[in-house]
Amino acid sequence: MHRPIAVRGLRSLLLTTLLLGLAGPALAVPPAPFTPAAHATGTPHPAPARPSPASTSASPSASDDDAYWTPQRMAAAEPVAADRRGPAKGNSSLRAARPSTAADPVPPPSHPFDGLPQVGTFFWTDGTNTGRFCGGTVVRSPLRNLVVTAAHCLRAPDPKRHLSFVPQYHDGLKPHGIYPVDRIYLDQRYYDLGTNGGARWDYAIVRLGARADGAEVEDVTGGYDLVPYPGYDHRDVRLIGYPGSSDTTHPKPLDCTSSTHRYTSTDPAAPGDFLEIACAGYIGGTSGGPFLVRDFTGYALIGVIGGYHTGGDFPDVSYSSYFTLDTLALYLHAVRGDTPAAPRIPSS
């Protein structure tokens, strides 16, 4: 089994800095910024000043979002709607099993549990005032404020109000508080090529604001190592996802351990090589959930549910984009607080 090399905190920043000259187009920083205010109104705003690395002041929206996201509103939130042709992980109606043959192994079962502090859910309301959600995982970083999720969760340019992260959400609870989103980092190619053509870049790094009391998320929950080039074959991978299901009033996350291997896409519209894992019951809504492997610190993040067909067409097989130097470049942009990429404005 391939053992990944973990990337931790300042070490990851230094490593990525050394590799800047090799990163190519991924390091081009487009001028269009993301700000929560701009997404809330749909009107562009000037790029905000880069925050001081020593700053721990909370966003003015932290207390407001904490009050807004009641247990009832969180439970009523729906999976993110993916922009693709067929059924997606982001579609809560996806419940049919994949067609199988007698030779196919039975996928390991998943089971609900109360979650992990480092894994949680993004909540927001879209342009129709519908509550939405998608999973995310806290990763180690110098400013202790970064979360990794799937890019297709946050790619749509529609307004996102009350966009916040709730670590270890379960049963309507916010056990570690709520953290407003500061900036969203997607690879420019994912914006340009879309959810199919850009499937190999279906990951996002989200920079959070502090909790209402000024605490940064990693200081409260801890974080996992972010692993580039982890290899494809792993025997024991922990897959966690938040299902969009009406079966329970306050859904819990799902947990499953299985093996991963390399899947090369046979769909010319969605090219690339992806991590593939078999775990039963990962219905719509589980997008953004982590692929976790053991390392000397506990766990390391090697993928998130997404990538090929935004995570897969069937609930017993899930996918992730493969983390590479492009992922590290995106991480560095988030650490530095650079202006994020954004959808390009078509020329007239």
Side-chain angles (χ1 to χ4, degrees), residues 51-217:
S52 166
S55 173
T56 57
S57 60
S59 164
S61 65
S63 296
D64 293 341
D65 289 349
D66 195 12
Y68 179 83
W69 287 113
T70 62
Q72 294 75 21
R73 282 181 171 141
M74 290 189 291
E78 300 177 7
V80 63
D83 178 21
R84 54 186 295 273
R85 296 172 302 169
K89 288 286 178 184
N91 184 343
S92 61
S93 66
L94 177 60
R95 296 176 183 273
R98 180 179 66 163
S100 60
T101 68
D104 287 338
V106 176
S110 59
H111 63 274
F113 77 129
D114 285 346
L116 300 174
Q118 298 88 344
V119 181
T121 308
F122 287 97
F123 288 101
W124 69 94
T125 60
D126 64 16
T128 65
N129 206 36
T130 300
R132 299 288 183 183
F133 73 91
C134 205
T137 303
V138 181
V139 294
R140 292 187 173 99
S141 63
L143 299 186
R144 310 179 72 79
N145 61 353
L146 299 185
V147 174
V148 179
T149 185
H152 74 264
C153 292
L154 301 173
R155 177 179 180 267
D158 64 304
K160 295 176 177 65
R161 299 180 177 87
H162 305 290
L163 177 55
S164 301
F165 181 69
V166 179
Q168 202 177 357
Y169 168 72
H170 68 91
D171 299 298
L173 302 176
K174 294 175 281 188
H176 307 288
I178 191 167
Y179 301 80
V181 167
D182 177 21
R183 292 187 174 191
I184 299 171
Y185 291 86
L186 277 67
D187 194 291
Q188 184 67 59
R189 288 163 290 193
Y190 194 75
Y191 281 122
D192 294 346
L193 298 174
T195 55
N196 275 325
R200 69 189 69 184
W201 298 285
D202 190 2
Y203 45 76
I205 300 185
V206 180
R207 185 173 171 129
L208 301 180
R211 200 170 59 181
D213 62 359
E216 301 292 351
V217 65

